[in-house]
């Protein structure tokens, strides 16, 4: 993985720290929506390989199997197929926004609103690894998830790249 690629950016949302990523996929919006919302697809790229979701605003979402965090329940904050999914994950919020650029291309914006500012480099590093795995899944070549040995770049390398780029 080219660590000079888009590392994401540190932003503030309503006075809360956040990291933001933007990616363009040469795939229709409905295909990318399925990859970011179907629990079977999430297993290929999301940090917690076991996700269950009630597909509606106010629904429950649960995460299991992430070796670096406890199983944490959340709440679906927005469910607007095929353009918007947001949910709480502990004290953080994840916002996925999709925009069709044409019939075969879409843009994904991932915004991770953080509880603590000093988690920005850690979370951005984690999301960069996950987004690499998401790109594989969207392309129809799913990997074994962000915790596997086959990721495009190991998390410690990616974390250091974010620290060097000035993320807190």
């Amino acid at each position: 993985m080219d660590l000079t690629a888009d590392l994401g950016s540190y932003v503030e949302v309503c006075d809360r720290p956040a990291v933001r990523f933007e990616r363009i996929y040469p795939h229709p919006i409905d295909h990318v929506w399925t990859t970011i919302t179907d629990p079977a697809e999430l297993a290929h790229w999301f940090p917690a390989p076991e996700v269950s979701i009630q597909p509606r605003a106010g629904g429950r979402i649960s995460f299991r199997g992430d070796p670096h965090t406890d199983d944490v329940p959340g709440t679906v904050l927005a469910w607007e197929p095929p353009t918007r999914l947001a949910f709480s994950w502990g004290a953080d919020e994840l916002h996925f926004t999709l925009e069709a650029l044409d019939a075969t291309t879409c843009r994904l914006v991932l915004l991770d609103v953080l509880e603590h500012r000093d988690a920005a480099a850690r979370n951005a590093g984690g999301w960069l690894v996950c987004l690499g795995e998401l790109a594989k899944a969207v392309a129809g070549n799913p990997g074994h998830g962000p915790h596997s040995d086959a990721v495009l770049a190991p998390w410690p390398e990616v974390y250091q790249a974010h620290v060097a780029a000035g993320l807190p």
Side-chain angles (χ1 to χ4, degrees):
M1 172 180 277
D2 177 9
L3 293 181
T4 63
D6 178 14
L7 293 174
S9 56
Y10 176 82
V11 297
E12 292 196 3
V13 176
C14 299
D15 295 324
R16 287 187 63 190
V19 292
R20 181 185 184 279
F21 290 89
E22 184 173 317
R23 296 291 187 267
I24 305 292
Y25 297 104
H27 298 282
I29 193 171
D30 289 326
H31 174 68
V32 178
W33 174 259
T34 297
T35 308
I36 66 170
T37 60
D38 181 323
E41 296 293 326
L42 285 160
H44 298 294
W45 68 271
F46 197 75
E50 298 173 42
V51 177
S52 64
I53 186 169
Q54 293 177 322
R56 61 178 171 77
R60 295 204 29 91
I61 186 167
S62 64
F63 313 94
R64 290 179 300 284
D66 183 335
H68 303 292
T69 61
D70 294 331
D71 299 345
V72 178
T75 301
V76 176
L77 305 171
W79 180 270
E80 300 168 15
T83 60
R84 188 162 173 252
L85 167 65
F87 53 84
S88 62
W89 188 4
D92 288 0
E93 291 180 9
L94 294 175
H95 298 261
F96 297 86
T97 304
L98 291 171
E99 173 190 5
L101 300 178
D102 59 37
T104 61
T105 309
C106 74
R107 174 189 340 265
L108 167 69
V109 174
L110 165 58
L111 182 69
D112 181 0
V113 181
L114 307 166
E115 179 180 20
H116 300 291
R117 183 178 187 276
D118 63 359
R122 179 197 69 202
N123 283 29
W127 287 120
L128 190 69
V129 172
C130 290
L131 288 170
E133 294 300 294
L134 175 60
K136 292 179 197 176
V138 167
N141 300 309
H144 298 288
H147 303 295
S148 75
D149 291 335
V151 295
L152 296 175
W155 182 86
E157 252 180 70
V158 175
Y159 170 72
Q160 289 303 322
H162 283 90
V163 170
L167 272 75

